[in-house]
Every structure is written in C-alpha cells, then in structure tokens.
Amino acid sequence: MSGSTIRKALLLLALASTTACGPSSACKCDGGDVNASIWGADDGTLLVAGYTGGDAGFVRTSTGKAFVDGDLFELPVWRIWGSTASDYFVVGGSAGSASVAHRTAQRVQVWGQSGGTAPVTSALGLWGASTDAVFVVGAGGAIARFDGLGWTAQDNAVKEDLRDVWGSAADDVFAVGRHGTLLHFDGVSWAPHESPTTADLNAVWGSSATDVFAVGETEAEQSHVILHYDGEAWSVVHEGAGALLGVHGSAADRVVAVGGTRNGSSVEAVVLTFDGSEWSELSSSAGTFLWDVWVSAGGDRYTVVGPRETLEAQAF
C-alpha cells in the first residue's frame, strides 16, 4: 500500500466488553489486515481505517472494490470520520490511554501519547458536524467536543460506556452505549433519554433529527435489537438473531445494519436493510462479523468492512 508514514501513532482500542470482536472489544484479530471502520466523502471516495496484525494501522482510500491509496500509522486505528477525503479524524487507544488524530492536507495533529492530552481516556465513538464541531465518546460516559482549536470535556451524569455518536447538526447529537444508554445534546447540555431496552447499543445513525436508529445486542454475539427515535420517544422496532455492530443509511428508506452471529467456532455475517416500512435480512458471503457499513449518497449500494481485510460492496 502506498502512502506517507504518519509519525504520530495511535494505540489500539482494547477495552474489554461483551461485544463481538470489534472496536469496543479486546479482540485484536491478529494475523492480517483488519478493516475496522468506513466513512465516505461527498465525492464518493471511501476511507477505510484499520490495523495490521496488531502492530500497525492505516487509513486507505477505496473505490469499494480495491484499495488505491492510503496513510500508514505506526500503531492501529479504529474509528474514522471526515469532512473530505483529505481532512479526517481517527481515534484509537489502549484502555485508559486514548488518542485522537486530525489529518489534513498540510499536517497531522495528535492528542494523546506524546502529542498532548487526549480528550477522553478511552475513545469508542467519533462523529462531527464539521471540522470545528467534532464529538468523541468513550468509557465511563466520557464525552469531549472539538471546536477547531482544542477539545473540551462535556459534563454528563451517565457513567455507562458510550460506544457511538451521531447527529443531524452540532446542536442535535445522539450518543448510545451499554445497558440501553441513550443521550441527547441540544447544543448546551447532554441529557438522558428514556430507553425501551437494557441491551448494549453499539451504533447510531439517522436521516434527520426525527428519524434516528440505534442498533445493538441483547445477548452477546447472538441476538439484536433495533431502536427508532421519531423526535418524541424511542421504541423497539425490530429484534432478531445476530448481534448488530454498525448502522448507516442515505435516506429514511435506505438504511443498512450489520453484525454477525457466533455458532461455536463459526461466524455468520448479518446484514439487515430497511426500506422505510420493514427490516429484511440479506445474505452475505462474509464468514465473519461485519463491524461497519457505509451507504452511498445515492442509496444504490452499500459497503461493509470487518476482520481479515473484509471489504464487500453490494447493490440494493
């Protein structure tokens, strides 16, 4: 893989949890390249973040079928969010020692390790409304916001691990986590939402402030729950077999959730799609957990990533 070597390193996120081998677990899936997270720019460019054998990390540019370019890191990376294909944030970190990096065309700035104080001690989720309104969430209910210059910790009464964050705008942000934790930021403060589940929630995405989905697992690696927020309250809209680890869409009727089911020593991938009326399960040839998914802006295809360099693009 071509690309410039980024001197500042990010540590592998290695927090123990019940989630299937992935960004919020201790499993390192050594023995090859691991595609951990995916994000797409407005021009259709896909950025895939991950690590190699637990010793090195990368952010690669992909067409959805092959890697064509990328940056190398000295240690693994887990999560990615960007504003353009050349301006993105990544997070990683060992338990209690998180790192966040901001990559631009001019430089790489790192918070954590030798790069200065990290915004949270253990980073699990990352999302931004813009490059001067970026949110990181993590263990123990930690939340921090980047304003373009630096990070500020944000107060939050909830102490459960927060695993993902998404918003429709900088003053309308949702965070989800263990034991059904649901939080909302209105631009001033974070407040808990009443939750209809005690399941561990792993990912959140919405098409608008009144159409938000959260996915998770009711039994580790075995069964899932999907929640929906309509602007007034959260409700359970789907349950079934297989843990769900990621969710993304392009519109209210183009949503994909991914994960997997462990059966002894074997794993079966899980892919669910929502057409605006109901959730349907699709077949997948990936014999592994799927950790993340990105739906194209036009809603005509989706790309999934996971362990062992898993990268699959499928048409709806």
Side-chain angles (χ1 to χ4, degrees), residues 19-217:
T19 304
C21 176
S24 56
S25 74
C27 175
K28 298 174 70 174
C29 298
D30 294 336
D33 290 353
V34 175
N35 297 330
S37 180
I38 186 169
W39 175 85
D42 289 343
D43 64 1
T45 302
L46 298 177
L47 299 183
V48 177
Y51 65 93
T52 301
D55 297 319
F58 57 81
V59 172
R60 294 171 172 172
T61 305
S62 173
T63 62
K65 295 183 179 179
F67 297 117
V68 297
D69 187 69
D71 288 317
L72 299 177
F73 290 78
E74 294 176 354
L75 289 174
V77 296
W78 273 111
R79 298 286 192 184
I80 183 168
W81 174 87
S83 60
T84 69
S86 60
D87 189 334
Y88 61 79
F89 289 77
V90 291
V91 298
S94 61
S97 182
S99 292
V100 179
H102 182 198
R103 176 75 158 100
T104 67
Q106 291 76 35
R107 66 170 183 163
V108 177
Q109 185 173 7
V110 177
W111 296 270
Q113 298 305 299
S114 60
T117 303
V120 297
T121 57
S122 298
L124 296 171
L126 169 70
W127 175 84
S130 62
T131 54
D132 60 359
V134 180
F135 296 83
V136 169
V137 300
I143 303 174
R145 176 176 175 168
F146 182 68
D147 62 4
L149 297 175
W151 294 89
T152 301
Q154 297 195 304
D155 292 336
N156 166 35
V158 173
K159 300 306 177 184
E160 295 285 357
D161 291 351
L162 300 175
R163 292 179 169 175
D164 199 20
V165 57
W166 172 90
S168 68
D171 59 357
D172 179 47
V173 187
F174 297 85
V176 302
R178 296 198 67 189
H179 302 137
T181 299
L182 296 163
L183 294 174
H184 180 258
F185 180 66
D186 62 4
V188 177
S189 61
W190 288 88
H193 274 189
E194 183 175 353
S195 180
T197 184
T198 58
D200 291 341
L201 300 175
N202 297 317
V204 59
W205 176 86
S207 68
S208 71
T210 59
D211 180 43
V212 185
F213 292 96
V215 304
E217 50 193 328

